[in-house]
Amino acid sequence: MVYLGRPSKGCQMCRTRRIKCDETKPTCNQCSKARRQCPGYRDEFDLLLRNENQAAARRALKANTASASSSSGSSSSGSKKAIALKSSQPHPRQQALQLSRSQTAALANSLSIPAEDLATCHFLSNFVLVPQQEQHSARGYNHFLLPLLQQYSNGTNKEEITHLKHAFNACALASLGERYGAPGPGRGHGRMTTGKEKETLLRKGAEEYTLALMATNAALRDPVRCKEDGTLAAVLLLGMFENITARPNTGSAWGSHVEGAVQLVKARGKKQLKTNLGLQLFIVVRSQLIIHNLITATPPTMGVSWWVNEDTNSDPTATASERLNLLTAELRSEVYGFFSSPLSLSSSSPSAIAAIKEFLARAQALDAEAVEWFATLPPSWQIEYIPYSSSGNENIFPGVVHVYPDMWTAAILNLARATRMVLMSIIVRCVAFLVRPGDYRTTPEYAFAARTASNVVGDIIASIPFHLGHLPPRKDKNGKPMENSLTGRGLGGYFLTWPLACVVSHDHVTNSQREYVRGRLKYIGDELGIKYARLLSTQLKIRLPSMLIYEDGRLAAAAAESKIPGANSVGGTAGAVMRAAGLTSRLKSV
């Protein structure tokens, strides 16, 4: 394997058609203009180090022929001896082939990397987001793992953070195992490994998960170790493992890990906020808590002000958004608590109507704050808009594509959009109660909610190519093609799962948008290894808020006819609908 000069870097389609390729990534403009599916580009390293078996064989044959010619003038006995020696040796082509095979085998053995090390590199490159600037330490995700793992490798606190190491290994092995069998980035249609290797990785990941659970439980029983950074980080990784593997009862398991992390944060107190590492862990727990509260319709533990205050204001813009998210979760829990009682649904008392009007007013006020927040984003948060009208790329929905400053900014913006969708559902549900038995779809509140939800859905869909590394061809200020450096990052898919679950289950989504989002959830599950995304793509078939409104009306009518006693069921109307549709178990691990 030697260097043979600079080969063509064009895509496979242009080289087959023998035309000049502009080498735009991920799809060349020649293929786009011809409306052809661009198959992508070959790996440049593989191109430069190509197999030279035939060239080596020709040189060996030439050298052997010259040697035979030089010996033709020697004695006949010498000639016979040379002929006998030549006949006993393998053909030069066979020699070259044997040499190439031995060199290839030696190279493969020398490049063999243990699965654990390969999994570690894969997880760190796909699920750890390091801030671009050190002073913006909050603009990252899972980067608290780097100093903790460094302590473990250096032998510092090695025994104290064994549970973290096991939890990290579980996530790393599972994430690599779930991606195995999918085409590798930049490798065309080549498979990353075999099914047997996948089973081995997943088995090892499950074993590490079991060890992590036992070690973490031991740490939690220790009054000192339970408050350490490594223990909280281990609990967060255990929750991520549930999302990656999508095992049975993943939803409840993920929720349990989030609730456990919240209790640890509570026990750690304000002291944890005095270090960058403690603040990073706090912010990750807060983001997980928001999603958990919105899904389960439960209020934030310890109240909104405990989670959002001066000590936690690492980034003013992001903190303001998190505050709105927590307030929305708090409101949603109150609304669902009201609708959980058949007596409340059947009542037209002034107190019930006043309660619903208050819910409606609070939802509208929170949405107005969200609109103001989006309108006053600082320059470092501004979005670049790229028009995209082609319909031949399954990775991009026709319309507009968003390009964000970084993945962290995109995640914060999408979580705020998902929160607005929750607010629109609350508004419509409250209006439906106030105008019954009239048609709530004729009200101005419904028109506003439908229009807002449609716009938010469009924005979330426009963010998908950035998260998944499928941006259309674009050029920098100098006119040079720009490459998308986010290709293959699992964290983009991980951030997208909750917003896409909101989109696919909402009323105000077109059929084409819904199918596109389902396809992206399948992609996240199959190609990025986050299996719960694929589960959502196939099992999440509810429609909100119309399904809840229908059940509200049905149960209210039954309660009015005294068919349902005044007993409150756990979860009530909302819980009954969510359980019937499987929403509670399907969404909890997003």
Side-chain angles (χ1 to χ4, degrees):
M1 305 290 284
V2 298
Y3 179 71
L4 292 181
R6 182 179 180 181
S8 171
K9 295 182 180 180
C11 73
Q12 180 64 41
M13 180 63 70
C14 290
R15 288 187 290 108
T16 302
R17 297 174 63 196
R18 297 181 181 275
I19 61 176
K20 176 66 174 177
C21 180
D22 59 11
E23 301 178 13
T24 302
K25 297 180 180 180
T27 302
C28 81
N29 291 328
Q30 294 283 20
C31 293
S32 299
K33 292 178 182 179
R35 295 190 176 182
R36 297 175 183 269
Q37 184 67 33
C38 183
Y41 302 88
R42 298 180 292 178
D43 188 273
E44 294 184 14
F45 184 79
D46 292 340
L47 291 175
L48 295 177
L49 297 177
R50 291 172 290 178
N51 196 311
E52 205 198 14
N53 288 344
Q54 295 181 359
R58 285 195 299 269
R59 287 197 296 270
L61 180 59
K62 182 178 180 181
N64 200 342
T65 301
S67 176
S69 299
S70 64
S71 63
S72 61
S74 61
S75 61
S76 59
S77 60
S79 299
K80 292 179 180 180
K81 185 177 180 180
I83 293 173
L85 180 62
K86 179 180 177 181
S87 62
S88 64
Q89 293 178 345
H91 193 276
R93 291 182 181 273
Q94 295 178 348
Q95 289 179 330
L97 183 58
Q98 292 173 0
L99 178 61
S100 175
R101 286 175 176 172
S102 63
Q103 290 176 340
T104 302
L107 181 62
N109 292 332
S110 65
L111 295 179
S112 178
I113 302 176
E116 291 77 5
D117 294 342
L118 188 61
T120 296
C121 295
H122 172 268
F123 187 84
L124 291 176
S125 63
N126 282 275
F127 291 94
V128 174
L129 178 63
V130 179
Q132 297 179 358
Q133 299 180 11
E134 186 176 353
Q135 62 268 30
H136 295 154
S137 60
R139 304 186 72 160
Y141 198 86
N142 283 343
H143 53 305
F144 56 80
L145 291 172
L146 301 180
L148 291 173
L149 293 175
Q150 186 65 39
Q151 292 178 16
Y152 184 89
S153 64
N154 291 340
T156 307
N157 299 330
K158 191 168 185 178
E159 295 297 329
E160 286 77 3
I161 59 175
T162 302
H163 51 326
L164 172 63
K165 182 60 176 176
H166 285 309
F168 176 82
N169 289 342
C171 288
L173 291 166
S175 64
L176 184 61
E178 294 294 359
R179 283 202 67 181
Y180 270 0
R187 299 286 181 179
H189 297 284
R191 295 283 158 176
M192 294 181 69
T193 191
T194 63
K196 184 177 180 180
E197 291 171 324
K198 173 178 180 177
E199 292 177 3
T200 301
L201 286 167
L202 294 180
R203 175 179 55 78
K204 289 182 177 180
E207 292 172 355
E208 289 287 340
Y209 179 79
T210 302
L211 294 173
L213 282 178
M214 294 188 295
T216 303
N217 286 332
L220 292 175
R221 290 192 293 268
D222 189 311
V224 176
R225 293 181 61 196
C226 70
K227 298 180 181 181
E228 293 177 348
D229 294 335
T231 302
L232 180 55
V235 173
L236 289 172
L237 287 178
L238 291 174
M240 177 172 270
F241 177 87
E242 298 292 347
N243 284 341
I244 292 172
T245 57
R247 304 185 307 166
N249 300 321
T250 289
S252 59
W254 175 82
S256 298
H257 290 313
V258 173
E259 292 169 0
V262 169
Q263 293 304 316
L264 289 179
V265 168
K266 179 181 177 181
R268 284 156 59 93
K270 292 186 177 181
K271 184 178 179 180
Q272 64 188 315
L273 304 176
K274 296 181 179 180
T275 64
N276 285 335
L277 190 58
L279 182 58
Q280 293 168 20
L281 287 163
F282 178 90
I283 292 173
V284 173
V285 174
R286 185 174 65 185
S287 65
Q288 294 290 296
L289 174 69
I290 290 171
I291 298 174
H292 178 63
N293 288 151
L294 288 173
I295 292 171
T296 58
T298 53
T301 306
M302 297 170 287
V304 175
S305 60
W306 194 92
W307 292 95
V308 180
N309 51 62
E310 293 182 358
D311 296 328
T312 63
N313 191 16
S314 58
D315 185 290
T317 304
T319 303
S321 175
E322 300 282 73
R323 171 183 165 274
L324 292 175
N325 297 335
L326 288 167
L327 288 172
T328 299
E330 188 175 61
L331 173 60
R332 190 181 196 186
S333 68
E334 296 179 27
V335 172
Y336 273 51
F338 176 89
F339 284 105
S340 66
S341 171
L343 291 180
S344 297
L345 288 171
S346 61
S347 174
S348 298
S349 64
S351 60
I353 294 176
I356 290 295
K357 287 184 177 180
E358 180 188 356
F359 294 150
L360 177 60
R362 287 169 59 187
Q364 291 171 331
L366 286 174
D367 185 66
E369 286 190 55
V371 172
E372 179 67 17
W373 180 82
F374 275 99
T376 57
L377 290 175
S380 60
W381 286 63
Q382 294 305 313
I383 305 170
E384 178 186 352
Y385 299 89
I386 301 178
Y388 187 82
S389 58
S390 176
S391 59
N393 191 341
E394 64 177 4
N395 298 319
I396 305 176
F397 194 82
V400 177
V401 175
H402 291 177
V403 180
Y404 298 87
D406 52 55
M407 186 74 75
W408 179 85
T409 304
I412 296 294
L413 290 169
N414 262 354
L415 183 56
R417 292 169 182 141
T419 295
R420 290 198 72 194
M421 295 185 70
V422 172
L423 289 172
M424 294 306 105
S425 294
I426 293 174
I427 290 173
V428 172
R429 194 177 184 187
C430 290
V431 168
F433 179 92
L434 293 174
V435 302
R436 64 181 186 182
D439 188 350
Y440 64 91
R441 292 169 294 185
T442 61
T443 62
E445 292 83 359
Y446 175 83
F448 170 80
R451 182 172 61 254
T452 300
S454 296
N455 292 336
V456 170
V457 166
D459 288 338
I460 293 177
I461 289 178
S463 75
I464 294 177
F466 177 85
H467 282 84
L468 302 184
H470 294 150
L471 290 175
R474 56 197 181 109
K475 298 181 179 180
D476 59 17
K477 296 179 180 179
N478 299 323
K480 295 182 179 180
M482 298 176 61
E483 292 190 20
N484 183 11
S485 60
L486 299 175
T487 300
R489 290 186 63 86
L491 197 58
Y494 189 77
F495 285 151
L496 269 179
T497 310
W498 163 244
L500 294 191
C502 292
V503 170
V504 81
S505 61
H506 206 272
D507 287 331
H508 306 294
V509 182
T510 66
N511 291 334
S512 58
Q513 287 176 327
R514 203 182 308 276
E515 288 306 308
Y516 170 74
V517 171
R518 289 192 187 278
R520 294 302 85 201
L521 284 170
K522 292 179 181 177
Y523 176 89
I524 294 171
D526 294 342
E527 306 293 330
L528 302 183
I530 306 171
K531 289 304 176 184
Y532 217 72
R534 180 170 182 83
L535 197 62
L536 290 172
S537 71
T538 57
Q539 296 189 10
L540 195 57
K541 300 184 182 298
I542 62 173
R543 297 291 183 272
L544 299 176
S546 59
M547 184 179 290
L548 293 175
I549 294 172
Y550 172 80
E551 287 298 314
D552 290 344
R554 187 181 65 82
L555 293 179
E561 296 175 4
S562 300
K563 291 183 179 180
I564 297 180
N568 294 343
S569 60
V570 177
T573 308
V577 177
M578 294 173 74
R579 287 193 299 273
L583 178 61
T584 303
S585 61
R586 293 172 194 165
L587 278 183
K588 279 186 178 179
S589 68
V590 177

